Amino acid sequence: QLQLQESGPGLVKPSETLSLTCSVSDGSISSSSFHWGWVRQPPGKGLEWIGSIHYSGNTYYSPSLKSRGTISVDTSKNQFSLKLISLTAADTAVYYCTREYRSASGYWGQGTLVTVSS
Amino acid sequence: QSALTQPASVSGSPGQSITISCTGTSSDVGAYNYVSWYQQHPGKAPKLMIYDVTNRPSGVPNRFSGSKSGNTASLTISGLQAEDESDYYCSSQTTSSTVVFGGGTKLTVL
């Protein structure tokens, strides 16, 4: 059974950069059938798609990020990562990593809460 | 891209059927048959319930079904059970190769 696990800081200061990593186990990130994505959910609010990456390196991002986000993949470590710059309080959310197949996320990490505060 | 439109809340009694709508545009819901539905219980990660408009992943009860007409997709839950009380989100691929979610619907089982 594929498992996804997010890791990263729980607290980040405003204007700083968030770096999260998703470790994939019991499955290969190099499968051509899937994309690997990030979804976030502010406290008490709905889901927001951030972006996704194919192991080949092709990336797709939500226009709402306004070019603040970068997703990368490390096939040697079976991991993919999210970097989000210029953080504000509005970026406070639970961040999930997912495996996408035809835009459907069938596998999710448990989520990690990131709070942006000084 | 704007979020897909879902009703904020729906309710039904045990055994009844309910339908949650998800309205988008010709650039997302209407463009492809790549609409998904998720169930999310409080404090938990979302769970995929429907993909490709009508398909159920293994293990999802056949009480859950999906459909689409034009720019609107729908999730129907028949034989409502107490455990179905949850938040539900739709999503769709867009013509820009991105994904957009709906605002979410809170289902209350009376």
Side-chain angles (χ1 to χ4, degrees):
Chain A
Q1 176 83 341
L2 185 80
Q3 293 187 57
L4 305 173
Q5 178 67 58
E6 305 91 351
S7 59
L11 180 65
V12 185
K13 290 182 169 54
S15 80
E16 293 191 342
T17 295
L18 171 67
S19 292
L20 294 176
T21 295
C22 182
S23 299
V24 179
S25 56
D26 296 325
S28 174
I29 204 169
S30 299
S31 172
S32 61
S33 301
F34 306 110
H35 286 74
W36 304 90
W38 291 95
V39 175
R40 69 181 180 180
Q41 185 171 35
K45 297 188 177 181
L47 302 173
E48 179 185 16
W49 186 81
I50 297 172
S52 66
I53 189 167
H54 188 258
Y55 85 97
S56 63
N58 290 337
T59 52
Y60 307 88
Y61 298 102
S62 170
S64 66
L65 282 185
K66 297 179 183 177
S67 302
R68 294 191 299 124
T70 302
I71 299 174
S72 59
V73 64
D74 186 336
T75 55
S76 67
K77 294 182 178 179
N78 224 34
Q79 295 176 337
F80 63 105
S81 299
L82 169 69
K83 183 177 291 187
L84 193 60
I85 66 172
S86 304
L87 292 179
T88 70
D91 295 308
T92 293
V94 174
Y95 285 75
Y96 296 100
C97 59
T98 76
R99 190 186 81 173
E100 293 180 7
Y101 176 67
R102 294 208 289 248
S103 85
S105 289
Y107 288 90
W108 295 68
Q110 65 184 25
T112 186
L113 175 62
V114 175
T115 301
V116 181
S117 175
S118 55
Chain B
Q1 61 194 23
S2 298
L4 306 177
T5 300
Q6 298 180 229
S9 63
V10 298
S11 63
S13 299
Q16 289 186 331
S17 294
I18 63 95
T19 297
I20 300 172
S21 62
C22 171
T23 301
T25 69
S26 58
S27 296
D28 38 62
V29 174
Y32 309 108
N33 287 327
Y34 293 152
V35 175
S36 305
W37 290 91
Y38 301 88
Q39 177 190 65
Q40 186 182 33
H41 290 295
K44 300 294 187 182
K47 174 186 177 183
L48 180 66
M49 304 301 283
I50 297 286
Y51 67 97
D52 292 355
V53 178
T54 61
N55 294 332
R56 283 187 310 277
S58 175
V60 173
N62 60 10
R63 303 184 294 102
F64 291 83
S65 62
S67 63
K68 191 186 87 167
S69 177
N71 296 335
T72 298
S74 298
L75 172 71
T76 297
I77 308 174
S78 58
L80 207 57
Q81 299 182 2
E83 67 207 49
D84 299 332
E85 184 163 294
S86 189
D87 292 328
Y88 291 86
Y89 294 90
C90 63
S91 75
S92 173
Q93 182 165 320
T94 76
T95 53
S96 302
S97 298
T98 62
V99 174
V100 61
F101 279 98
T105 298
K106 180 176 181 58
L107 169 62
T108 300
V109 180
L110 302 171

